[in-house]
Amino acid sequence: MTTITNFFLLFIFIFIFLSQTTSLSKGCHPEDERALLQIKKEFNNPSLLSSWIPHTDCCNFKWSGVACSSLTNDRVTDLSISNNIHITSHFPSSIGNLPCLQTLFIYNLPNLTGPIPQSIIKLTNLIYLTISETGVTGPIPKFTDKFKNLVELDLSHNNIIGTLPPSLYKLPSLSGILFNNNNLSGSIPSSYGYFNSSHVSTLDLSYNNLSGKLPISLAMLDIYVLELAYNNFEGDASMLFGSYKKTLVIDISGNRFAFDFGRVDLSHTIATLDVSHNKIYGNFPMAMENVTFLNVSYNKLCGEIPKLGYFNTFDVSSFVHNKCLCGSPLPSCK
């Protein structure tokens, strides 16, 4: 056999080997493909997911909203399905069959209904979880401390019911917690005062049906953004403030809080402060010179409005319907 013939046969062998290797490493793990196709089926095969075609590579960015990572051996790590009124289904339980998922983004699917399936707690590699602006109901899933990498948990603007999960403080990397605009009820667990302040930056529980008095443990909560607006809370909320804290935003408006505002120690970093529509009394506290947005309307405050910082930019609406406030922009003090 000539050298040329040997070379030709070797070339054919290499070509066949490479072809087989390429076909075997098509870039989409078969288990992920099966899971995605089942998710598509449970979504009632919407046109939005028409690019999810069997026996094609789900990792080549041609499957809408799907991304893979070579760091996970081409397993699906990102799933984004959003902005579609034509998806009319229950939340697919097969979502839990994507074990390497790191980002799940379900947004603005108003006709997506039913509870968030418990299978979601199998996705312990999640870093970002967003299920927002949907018709999803049912309780918040019980996320365990196995979610060591979860940074942001956004379940806002849904129809979620039930109580706040008390064990969230055990998630070591959690930074943003957004449960606002749902139908949650009950009180804030005392364990929420034990969030890791070096990680948690935002807690938004506003626009729910939460009630009761705040646990004193929240005095330990030191985060940038705290929003409790428009619930049914009552009693003392002064423990949320503190001159030593890094607070940027506090919004406790639309509740029934009652405490002496003048005895509060404000953070020097606070920029947005909304305590309107409560039963708060007393005078203005110190350290308000850095506040750029203020609303204390509909309370029982008294005394002269300070003349410092940004106060000359606040209009009447920031101060109306108080017991005896006076000074610009309200009538002058007698």
Side-chain angles (χ1 to χ4, degrees), residues 257-273:
F257 289 123
F259 58 93
D260 188 344
F261 198 39
R263 297 173 68 93
V264 163
D265 291 325
L266 287 182
S267 164
H268 290 278
T269 60
I270 195 163
T272 296
L273 179 59

Side-chain angles (χ1 to χ4, degrees), residues 175-334:
S175 174
I177 304 159
L178 295 92
F179 293 160
N180 53 292
N181 296 82
N182 280 290
N183 294 311
L184 294 168
S185 58
S187 59
I188 296 180
S190 60
S191 60
Y192 280 35
Y194 300 99
F195 279 124
N196 187 338
S197 295
S198 64
H199 286 92
V200 175
S201 62
T202 300
L203 176 62
D204 191 346
L205 306 177
S206 56
Y207 294 91
N208 278 285
N209 295 314
L210 298 168
S211 60
K213 295 182 178 181
L214 301 184
I216 193 63
S217 61
L218 291 189
M220 296 184 292
L221 194 62
D222 186 10
I223 60 178
Y224 291 115
V225 178
L226 177 61
E227 305 209 29
L228 305 179
Y230 288 89
N231 283 282
N232 298 305
F233 295 122
E234 59 185 6
D236 190 1
S238 62
M239 81 287 288
L240 302 177
F241 302 88
S243 59
Y244 58 89
K245 293 187 177 183
K246 58 191 177 188
T247 314
L248 298 174
V249 176
I250 288 184
D251 186 351
I252 60 172
S253 60
N255 285 285
R256 297 195 296 275
F257 289 123
F259 58 93
D260 188 344
F261 198 39
R263 297 173 68 93
V264 163
D265 291 325
L266 287 182
S267 164
H268 290 278
T269 60
I270 195 163
T272 296
L273 179 59
D274 192 341
V275 300
S276 62
H277 294 268
N278 281 288
K279 299 178 181 181
I280 300 170
Y281 53 90
N283 302 315
F284 281 95
M286 303 293 289
M288 299 198 71
E289 59 273 10
N290 294 322
V291 176
T292 58
F293 175 87
L294 176 70
N295 194 344
V296 298
S297 62
Y298 293 87
N299 278 292
K300 298 180 178 181
L301 297 176
C302 277
E304 185 173 6
I305 296 172
K307 297 180 176 65
L308 50 77
Y310 295 87
F311 269 76
N312 64 338
T313 68
F314 304 145
D315 61 26
V316 172
S317 64
S318 294
F319 306 102
V320 295
H321 294 280
N322 274 282
K323 186 177 181 180
C324 48
L325 282 183
C326 59
S328 180
L330 298 179
S332 61
C333 301
K334 296 180 180 179

Side-chain angles (χ1 to χ4, degrees), residues 91-102:
F91 201 109
S93 60
S94 294
I95 210 86
N97 295 330
L98 295 170
C100 296
L101 206 61
Q102 297 175 4

